[in-house]
């Protein structure tokens, strides 16, 4: 919890992050590793032989046209979507279909959805403390302290007693991020976290995500916010028709993509 | 007998009407919850079995079930008190309808609610009890109130298995004294007096949940 605050003081983070990342040296186990992952919806081949490794502290942006399998891939990572072949490892542990094991793994994998998915019948505070209390067994006051810390971190001051419907979209999404952070996850998954927001609210959510990246959080983000990819990602993955077409650093990805399909996509995106 | 005397006489049966309703709820509420949830969660053979039980209670005519349980079961040596038979049959019939409201309420929730809770590592039972059911039951509250009123009105049938409820009293009074208009108008009034407060309560519940939605739109 305290590392969160210390990093807030980092002034010009992009340079520092690079150093910090390098300083860790060649990494031990990958935070997430998908190998030869295949997924079918009935006869539709949604994920084709996906190989993807997210190193600890890695920040990977996944982009690609609609229906390319981005959500499906990210949902396979925390077992919300079962897959038919291949493996997914979280911190070196194989994802199985055993519910107990899945529950345990999910504690260390935070997820933020396009539609926020806050619990509308619970206050902001209760949204954040629910899993702390029921899953981690924290006391009411301990959970409230943790929640207050992360709510402050996503810049939601003084709204803890409100219900989700009383907040703007941007505020709701930031609460959703705080709710996930409360579990102190080792990795955060984002599935188009800004796609259903009004344009003026996109920045407040991206700012929080950029902060998280600066703090060294391992992140796997499906997003079409190319500004975010440029600024915060260290790898961009381009998917099309269920396959990973290209993986590159943001600089290479935007300036000199190697695949024709990537170029076509970028032309459309950045026009 | 004056109309007031008739009305008071009919209200003698209120205790039975209320007892059957209350005991009926003891059958209806657990049945609706357990079977509604079970129908939502099960698949395959278990789902078919759950559905079959629900459909039996929901789709059989209450009056026939009353006769079967009261007059036919004793033939094979099972003798149940009239009040038990009445509460069980009416309760499980109402519970059958209630279970469908529970299931529909659960199914109407956005899938994202389950997913967000699962992503936090909550076990299935917790997701159901803390996330899904509270929302489903609130959403279905007006339906439950309607079904409760149906249950009260349904108790009029218990006079057929010898219980001295308001309807039975009305028939008794009608036999003593030739005044069908006075007697049956009083009976209508008696059920109205019992059911109307529930209707008002139901409207209040509906407005409250509607009010929350209004709030939602405001922001
Ligand atoms: N539950 C499902 N059943 C059947 N097909 C599905 C299901 N979910 C997704 N698909 C299909 O799988 C493909 C990949 O879907 P997915 O949601 O992963 O795409 P996406 O890249 O996230 O697209 P978008 O940018 O629109 O969110 C699509 O063709 C979609 O129609
Ligand atoms: Mg998607």
């Amino acid at each position: 919890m305290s590392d969160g605050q210390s990093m807030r003081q980092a002034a010009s983070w992009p340079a520092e992050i690079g150093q910090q990342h390098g300083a860790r040296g060649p990494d031990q186990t990958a935070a997430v590793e998908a190998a030869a992952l295949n997924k079918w919806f009935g006869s539709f081949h949604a994920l084709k032989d996906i190989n993807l490794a997210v190193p600890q502290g890695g920040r990977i942006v996944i982009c690609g046209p609609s229906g390319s399998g981005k959500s499906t891939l990210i949902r396979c990572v925390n077992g919300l979507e079962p897959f038919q072949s291949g493996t997914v490892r979280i911190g070196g542990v194989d994802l199985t279909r055993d519910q107990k094991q899945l529950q345990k793994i999910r504690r260390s994998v935070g997820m933020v959805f396009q539609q926020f998915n806050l619990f509308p019948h619970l206050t902001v505070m209760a949204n954040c403390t629910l899993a702390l209390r029921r899953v981690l067994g924290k006391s009411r006051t301990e959970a409230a302290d943790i929640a207050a810390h992360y709510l402050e971190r996503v810049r939601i001051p003084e709204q803890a007693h409100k219900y989700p419907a009383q907040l703007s979209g941007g505020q709701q999404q930031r609460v959703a991020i705080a709710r996930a952070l409360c579990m102190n996850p080792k990795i955060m998954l984002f599935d188009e976290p800004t796609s259903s927001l009004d344009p003026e609210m996109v920045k407040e959510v991206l700012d929080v995500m950029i902060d998280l990246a600066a703090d060294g959080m391992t992140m796997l983000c499906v997003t079409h916010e190319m500004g975010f990819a440029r600024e915060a990602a260290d790898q961009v993955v381009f998917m099309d028709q269920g396959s990973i077409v290209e993986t590159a650093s943001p600089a290479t990805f935007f300036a000199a993509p190697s695949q024709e399909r990537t170029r076509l996509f970028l032309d459309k995106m950045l026009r | 007998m004056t109309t007031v005397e008739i009305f008071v006489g009919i209200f003698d049966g209120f205790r039975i009407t209320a007892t059957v309703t209350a005991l009926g709820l003891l059958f209806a509420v657990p049945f609706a919850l357990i079977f509604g949830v079970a129908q939502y969660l099960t698949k395959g053979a278990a789902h078919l079995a759950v559905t079959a039980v629900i459909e039996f209670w929901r789709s059989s005519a209450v009056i026939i079930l009353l006769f079967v349980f009261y007059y036919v079961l004793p033939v094979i040596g099972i003798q149940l008190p009239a009040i038990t038979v009445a509460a069980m049959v009416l309760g499980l019939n109402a519970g059958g309808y209630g279970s469908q409201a529970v299931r529909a309420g659960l199914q109407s929730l956005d899938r994202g609610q389950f997913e967000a809770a699962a992503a936090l590592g909550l076990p299935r039972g917790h997701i159901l009890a803390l996330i899904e059911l509270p929302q489903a039951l609130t959403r279905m509250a007006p339906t439950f109130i309607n079904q409760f009123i149906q249950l009260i009105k349904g108790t009029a049938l218990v006079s057929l298995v010898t219980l001295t409820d308001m309807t039975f009293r009305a028939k008794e009074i009608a036999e003593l004294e030739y005044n069908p208009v006075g007697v049956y108008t009083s009976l209508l009034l008696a059920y109205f007096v019992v059911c109307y407060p529930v209707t008002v309560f139901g409207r209040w519940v509906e407005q409250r949940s509607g009010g929350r939605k209004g709030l939602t739109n405001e922001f």
Side-chain angles (χ1 to χ4, degrees):
Chain A
M1 257 178 73
S2 56
D3 62 333
Q5 278 169 332
S6 63
M7 285 304 300
R8 282 293 283 280
Q9 281 123 33
S12 57
W13 64 268
E16 287 188 30
I17 279 298
Q19 282 166 12
Q20 192 198 38
H21 198 56
R24 266 183 206 171
D27 204 7
Q28 334 82 27
T29 20
V32 177
E33 188 174 12
L37 178 63
N38 280 281
K39 157 99 193 164
W40 284 266
F41 288 110
S43 62
F44 177 73
H45 202 171
L47 292 179
K48 299 172 186 159
D49 210 31
I50 299 288
N51 293 287
L52 176 73
V54 186
Q56 312 260 356
R59 298 174 303 278
I60 296 188
V61 160
I62 304 175
C63 61
S66 181
S68 55
K70 307 178 298 291
S71 297
T72 308
L73 172 57
I74 209 169
R75 290 157 57 82
C76 282
V77 169
N78 69 350
L80 281 183
E81 206 70 79
F83 47 88
Q84 282 79 19
S85 78
T87 55
V88 173
R89 290 208 177 94
I90 308 291
V93 182
D94 254 28
L95 217 64
T96 65
R97 303 198 59 176
D98 176 61
Q99 285 303 310
K100 279 271 168 342
Q101 193 237 21
L102 263 184
Q103 280 160 28
K104 204 165 166 209
I105 286 182
R106 283 168 176 161
R107 291 178 204 172
S108 61
V109 180
M111 184 152 187
V112 175
F113 301 83
Q114 182 175 349
Q115 301 298 338
F116 328 140
N117 294 346
L118 291 178
F119 308 128
H121 62 301
L122 300 177
T123 60
V124 164
M125 179 55 82
N127 265 274
C128 292
T129 55
L130 182 76
L132 284 172
R133 301 194 58 204
R134 303 291 178 153
V135 178
L136 301 184
K138 305 260 187 222
S139 72
R140 181 188 296 273
T141 47
E142 204 182 347
D145 285 349
I146 295 172
H149 168 79
Y150 285 105
L151 284 170
E152 182 162 338
R153 194 156 162 211
V154 300
R155 297 166 208 144
I156 300 281
E158 318 288 320
Q159 316 263 28
H161 59 283
K162 289 196 178 169
Y163 284 88
Q166 293 169 287
L167 304 181
S168 73
Q171 289 173 324
Q172 288 188 52
Q173 191 61 301
R174 284 182 286 140
V175 170
I177 294 173
R179 177 175 71 178
L181 290 177
C182 279
M183 298 297 281
N184 194 17
K186 296 203 176 65
I187 171 167
M188 286 284 286
L189 310 175
F190 293 84
D191 190 358
E192 305 208 30
T194 57
S195 296
S196 54
L197 293 176
D198 292 338
E200 71 270 21
M201 293 171 187
V202 169
K203 187 171 179 300
E204 65 191 49
V205 171
L206 288 181
D207 283 348
V208 166
M209 290 171 63
I210 287 171
D211 261 15
L212 269 181
D215 283 354
M217 175 63 81
T218 308
M219 294 164 78
L220 185 56
C221 313
V222 175
T223 181
H224 289 142
E225 292 294 335
M226 293 303 152
F228 174 79
R230 253 189 256 261
E231 202 173 341
D234 46 29
Q235 261 189 72
V236 182
V237 171
F238 175 67
M239 286 183 73
D240 193 18
Q241 296 179 10
S243 303
I244 292 183
V245 175
E246 177 160 5
T247 305
S249 71
T252 315
F253 184 82
F254 292 109
S258 66
Q259 302 294 315
E260 181 59 25
R261 276 195 277 177
T262 316
R263 270 195 289 274
L264 285 173
F265 175 74
L266 284 174
D267 274 355
K268 267 188 229 147
M269 281 302 299
L270 302 174
R271 185 170 15 206
Chain B
M1 261 175 133
T2 65
T3 310
V4 172
E5 281 169 329
I6 292 173
F7 186 79
V8 170
I10 285 174
F11 236 82
D12 267 357
F14 175 73
R15 203 175 54 81
I16 291 291
T17 298
T19 309
V20 173
T21 303
L23 291 179
L25 280 178
L26 288 184
F27 285 93
V29 174
F31 185 90
L33 279 175
I34 292 169
F35 279 79
V37 167
Q39 207 183 23
Y40 173 65
L41 291 180
T42 52
K43 294 194 186 74
H47 184 80
L48 287 180
V50 169
T51 306
V53 174
I54 292 171
E55 285 308 320
F56 171 77
W57 287 108
R58 198 168 70 112
S59 308
S60 308
V62 174
I63 189 162
I64 299 172
L65 288 174
L66 274 177
F67 286 154
V68 167
F69 280 90
Y70 192 67
Y71 295 110
V72 179
L73 284 187
V75 177
I76 57 167
I78 303 172
Q79 184 97 45
L80 295 172
I83 194 111
T84 309
V85 169
M88 181 180 77
V89 166
L90 289 165
L92 294 183
N93 179 257
Y97 283 100
S99 71
Q100 296 311 286
V102 171
R103 179 191 49 79
L106 288 167
Q107 282 176 339
S108 74
L109 296 178
D110 188 311
R111 179 88 192 142
Q113 290 292 304
F114 169 83
E115 291 181 347
L120 287 166
L122 284 160
R124 188 68 189 91
H126 282 48
I127 299 176
L128 183 71
L130 301 171
I131 304 299
E132 295 178 297
L133 273 178
Q135 294 184 63
L137 297 183
T138 323
R139 202 173 277 199
M140 286 297 160
T143 309
F144 294 131
I145 302 285
N146 278 336
Q147 288 167 350
F148 179 52
I149 294 169
Q150 293 298 330
L151 174 64
I152 299 174
K153 293 191 289 195
T155 59
L157 288 174
V158 303
S159 57
L160 297 171
V161 288
T162 71
L163 290 173
T164 322
D165 75 324
M166 298 200 299
T167 306
F168 190 91
R169 284 289 299 142
K171 282 191 284 188
E172 277 183 337
I173 295 166
E175 266 164 36
L176 294 176
E177 164 150 8
Y178 185 76
N179 181 4
V181 175
V183 171
Y184 291 113
T185 311
S186 300
L187 182 60
L188 270 180
L189 186 67
Y191 277 97
F192 180 78
V193 166
V194 174
C195 291
Y196 189 68
V198 183
T199 311
V200 171
F201 174 70
R203 213 167 285 154
W204 178 76
V205 168
E206 211 164 332
Q207 252 163 21
R208 231 180 56 126
S209 58
R212 269 233 202 110
K213 275 190 216 109
L215 187 77
T216 306
N217 295 335
E218 224 175 281
F219 284 87

